[in-house]
Amino acid sequence: MPAIILALLGLFIFAMGYRYYSTFIAERIYRLDPDFQTPAHQFRDGVDFVPTNKWVVWGHHFTSVAGAAPIVGPAIAVYWGWLPAFLWVVLGTVFAAGVHDFGTLVLSVRNKGQSIGTLAENIIGRRAKLLFLFIILILVLMVNAVFAWVISNLFISFPASVLAVFIQIPLAVWIGYTINKKGKRMLVPSLIALAVMYMTAVLANAIPALQIDLVSYFGGEGADGAFGLDAVALAFLIWIVILMVYVYIASILPVWKLLQPRDYINSHQLVVGLAILYLGLLFTWPAAEVTAPATRDVADVSWFPLLFITIACGAISGFHGLVASGTSSKQLNKETDARLVGYLGAVGEGSLALITILAVTTFFATQGDFLSSYENFDMANANGLTYFVSGAGQLATAIGLTEGIAETIVAVIVVSFAATTLDTSVRLMRYIISELGQEYKAQALTKKHVATGLAVGASALLVLLPGDRGFGSGGYLLWPLFGTTNQLLAAISLLLISIWLRRKGRNFIFTFIPMVFLLFMTLWAMVSQVVFQWSWLGEEGIQMVLFIFGAVILGFAVWILLEALMIFRKEPPNSKPDQK
């Protein structure tokens, strides 16, 4: 199967989904009103609530949700063959992710920019809100720990990417100042910043002195470092400390100073990266063949329902709703901008997941090479991201880049997105801790620095715990819960949107159907994991941490769903549908 055929088919479906389906949802279901006063105007404070150009908000939203997850998930899911992964990414993006991301953004805008957790109180009740906030808190904690782990390891593996990533910070601050204080447009400065980043990556790849290789500084791999750690572990520790200091500062700054300009740069970086990879497919046609099988029978792990959990952010993700209702809704200039920001953001995410599938499945010379590399599910989990970086680097060589430069640029892109997601997630965690502080009358928790300190401290503690992957992989202790928790969050968010639509007297079937499908798959997977894998019934015996957290999250989710379904069943729809 020529990879370019799958690429063109997937992109065509995405384009049709945005052009027609999102227009139908915007006009007939969500009924966007261009004259509605958005929270960015109503509560403008220059820090979190800032009316912003729709393309800049799209850049923030797109890059915040397009971290490493839409790469990792599909790169693992091709273990079951390229066809199931391709179908779920394409159809899930159009009919589930786009509606979910778009809907949570509109729902938040219509409710004073409140987060999805607070919206649960408005729609279901206070108890549901508290349960929901605890689920969200665990989810963002997992995201913070694992993304910090991923970034640190990529810095160690690709030291030529470090300088290019860090040079983006002063460039973004300069752009934020230029735009906010002098009223200039952001497009040209952000493109200049992007050019500087890539030139830095090229130079660092050619000049070893520009590579920030902490492992070599400490004597190389296998050498003794300090504090009883070897050189690699010590380098990892230092990168984690630097990242935690960075996200603390980044998450408390006004959004216009760093978050918006940096994310706008990253939106161009993602567009450039996607263009390079898709052009690489085109220029290597017909040589670029998908060598992985379309479907594959495996004995260790069934694709049904695990496929829909493994590919989380590549098709639909509850984390997207957190970003939409947590930061993006506070920057929306007009309500009608929500279609571009929410739905097109999901399409961008789907495009990244699609090229991930194609990069990985065309990387191997023969089907035999693929099968030996994806011999079991554990190997797919361990090596999926590495196969993407190598496969993407191979595609990029088709447009004239050397393999070393191509892999460095891909690493810069992946790290930039992961860092964007990391500090957005820490900002969201600060919001949640503050909300819990308000609920339980703990005024100290409502203070910005206290809440941020707790968010950063808890994330650092989790990531530095010892784990199966060595020092600093503690985040992976809870990572098996991420997929199911993330998808449960998406299902509950779709349920909230459905209840809201029903109250408005509108047709809720377009959010209700993906909610039911997602809920069925996720609860099935979670019960299988909690009861039959992590409990005393599992083959490896009880896995206490996963069992306790999984059982709590499952119990909270079922509780919320039962209360929501009771309301959905008993409460009559609005007999006078509104016109907006």
Side-chain angles (χ1 to χ4, degrees):
M1 168 67 72
I4 191 64
I5 300 299
L6 292 177
L8 292 175
L9 178 61
L11 293 176
F12 175 77
I13 294 173
F14 288 151
M16 293 299 100
Y18 179 69
R19 172 63 182 86
Y20 296 105
Y21 191 59
S22 74
T23 301
F24 167 77
I25 296 294
E27 295 177 354
R28 302 292 298 276
I29 308 301
Y30 296 151
R31 302 182 189 176
L32 304 185
D33 179 5
D35 298 321
F36 180 81
Q37 187 182 34
T38 64
H41 290 282
Q42 187 177 2
F43 306 107
R44 183 169 188 166
D45 61 5
V47 179
D48 295 316
F49 293 87
V50 180
T52 307
N53 178 276
K54 62 183 179 181
W55 287 106
V56 177
V57 184
W58 175 80
H60 154 70
H61 181 84
F62 184 17
T63 54
S64 293
V65 301
I71 296 172
V72 175
I76 295 171
V78 295
Y79 173 66
W80 297 293
W82 62 263
L83 183 59
F86 174 83
L87 291 175
W88 177 232
V89 163
V90 172
L91 299 180
T93 295
V94 172
F95 295 108
V99 175
H100 167 271
D101 297 12
F102 188 4
T104 50
L105 183 56
V106 172
L107 187 59
S108 179
V109 167
R110 284 283 171 163
N111 288 273
K112 302 179 181 179
Q114 294 174 333
S115 71
I116 197 70
T118 303
L119 292 171
E121 178 180 21
N122 299 342
I123 295 174
I124 304 176
R126 181 175 180 271
R127 183 166 50 205
K129 169 192 173 180
L130 295 177
L131 296 174
F132 207 12
L133 285 177
F134 279 113
I135 294 175
I136 295 170
L137 192 64
I138 295 172
L139 176 67
V140 295
L141 180 59
M142 287 189 285
V143 169
N144 294 345
V146 173
F147 275 46
W149 186 90
V150 167
I151 294 169
S152 297
N153 277 284
L154 285 173
F155 278 163
I156 291 172
S157 300
F158 300 96
S161 69
V162 177
L163 187 59
V165 171
F166 275 94
I167 205 170
Q168 185 187 41
I169 298 173
L171 290 171
V173 172
W174 165 69
I175 292 173
Y177 174 81
T178 301
I179 303 307
N180 196 67
K181 299 298 183 182
K182 298 186 178 181
K184 295 184 179 180
R185 294 185 178 275
M186 196 180 290
L187 177 60
V188 173
S190 67
L191 292 177
I192 293 174
L194 187 60
V196 171
M197 288 178 63
Y198 286 166
M199 287 173 58
T200 304
V202 171
L203 288 174
N205 190 77
I207 306 173
L210 296 178
Q211 299 180 16
I212 304 179
D213 188 353
L214 295 185
V215 175
S216 295
Y217 293 162
F218 297 131
E221 189 172 348
D224 293 331
F227 311 113
L229 303 174
D230 61 22
V232 175
L234 183 59
F236 181 87
L237 175 62
I238 291 174
W239 281 129
I240 290 295
V241 172
I242 292 172
L243 282 173
M244 291 299 123
V245 171
Y246 161 73
V247 296
Y248 184 98
I249 297 171
S251 62
I252 62 175
L253 286 176
V255 292
W256 62 267
K257 281 190 175 180
L258 178 59
L259 183 142
Q260 286 181 347
R262 184 212 52 207
D263 290 356
Y264 195 56
I265 296 171
N266 284 342
S267 69
H268 291 120
Q269 187 171 194
L270 185 52
V271 171
V272 170
L274 288 174
I276 289 174
L277 298 182
Y278 279 106
L279 284 174
L281 279 181
L282 180 62
F283 291 167
T284 55
W285 179 79
E289 293 277 342
V290 175
T291 54
T295 58
R296 182 184 178 198
D297 292 327
V298 294
D300 54 348
V301 179
S302 172
W303 71 273
F304 195 84
L306 200 59
L307 171 77
F308 306 100
I309 309 305
T310 303
I311 302 179
C313 298
I316 182 171
S317 165
F319 183 75
H320 294 191
L322 298 184
V323 175
S325 64
T327 56
S328 302
S329 65
K330 297 175 177 62
Q331 302 171 54
L332 213 63
N333 185 41
K334 293 184 178 181
E335 189 178 70
T336 48
D337 295 345
R339 172 175 167 258
L340 182 141
V341 173
Y343 199 100
L344 190 60
V347 167
E349 184 98 338
S351 301
L352 179 57
L354 175 61
I355 195 61
T356 297
I357 293 171
L358 299 178
V360 171
T361 56
T362 58
F363 170 65
F364 300 96
T366 67
Q367 188 172 114
D369 293 333
F370 174 86
L371 294 176
S372 62
S373 299
Y374 278 82
E375 186 175 346
N376 54 57
F377 193 65
D378 288 339
M379 290 179 64
N381 270 284
N383 301 316
L385 182 59
T386 302
Y387 292 148
F388 167 75
V389 173
S390 299
Q394 182 174 277
L395 289 177
T397 60
I399 65 170
L401 299 176
T402 66
E403 186 174 348
I405 291 174
E407 288 192 354
T408 299
I409 290 177
V410 171
V412 168
I413 294 173
V414 174
V415 170
S416 297
F417 298 156
T420 296
T421 303
L422 179 61
D423 60 55
T424 298
S425 181
V426 170
R427 187 181 289 259
L428 292 172
M429 195 170 178
R430 165 165 67 86
Y431 293 161
I432 296 165
I433 292 172
S434 297
E435 287 189 50
L436 289 172
Q438 292 173 353
E439 286 293 335
Y440 290 106
K441 311 300 181 185
Q443 292 302 313
L445 296 181
T446 63
K447 304 298 183 182
K448 179 168 63 175
H449 290 285
V450 173
T452 306
L454 285 173
V456 171
S459 303
L461 180 62
L462 180 57
V463 75
L464 291 175
L465 287 175
D468 294 338
R469 302 190 181 198
F471 171 78
S473 61
Y476 276 93
L477 291 173
L478 295 179
W479 189 245
L481 275 169
F482 172 78
T484 47
T485 305
N486 193 32
Q487 304 307 71
L488 273 176
L489 183 60
I492 296 171
S493 298
L494 284 169
L495 180 56
L496 295 177
I497 298 169
S498 299
I499 295 174
W500 175 69
L501 290 173
R502 188 168 184 266
R503 286 178 177 174
K504 294 291 186 181
R506 304 177 193 171
N507 189 345
F508 59 86
I509 196 69
F510 301 97
T511 56
F512 192 78
I513 289 177
M515 182 273 293
V516 171
F517 176 81
L518 195 61
L519 194 59
F520 175 76
M521 293 297 174
T522 305
L523 287 177
W524 182 359
M526 198 162 201
V527 168
S528 299
Q529 289 177 322
V530 172
V531 177
F532 300 107
Q533 184 177 345
W534 299 330
S535 75
W536 56 89
L537 298 176
E539 293 182 0
E540 299 179 3
I542 189 168
Q543 299 179 52
M544 189 61 69
V545 174
L546 287 173
F547 176 72
I548 291 174
F549 276 94
V552 169
I553 292 171
L554 180 60
F556 282 1
V558 171
W559 193 344
I560 294 169
L561 291 168
L562 289 175
E563 292 200 12
L565 289 172
M566 287 174 63
I567 292 174
F568 196 88
R569 180 181 178 185
K570 293 180 179 179
E571 188 177 85
N574 187 351
S575 59
K576 295 181 179 180
D578 64 13
Q579 300 302 312
K580 295 181 180 180

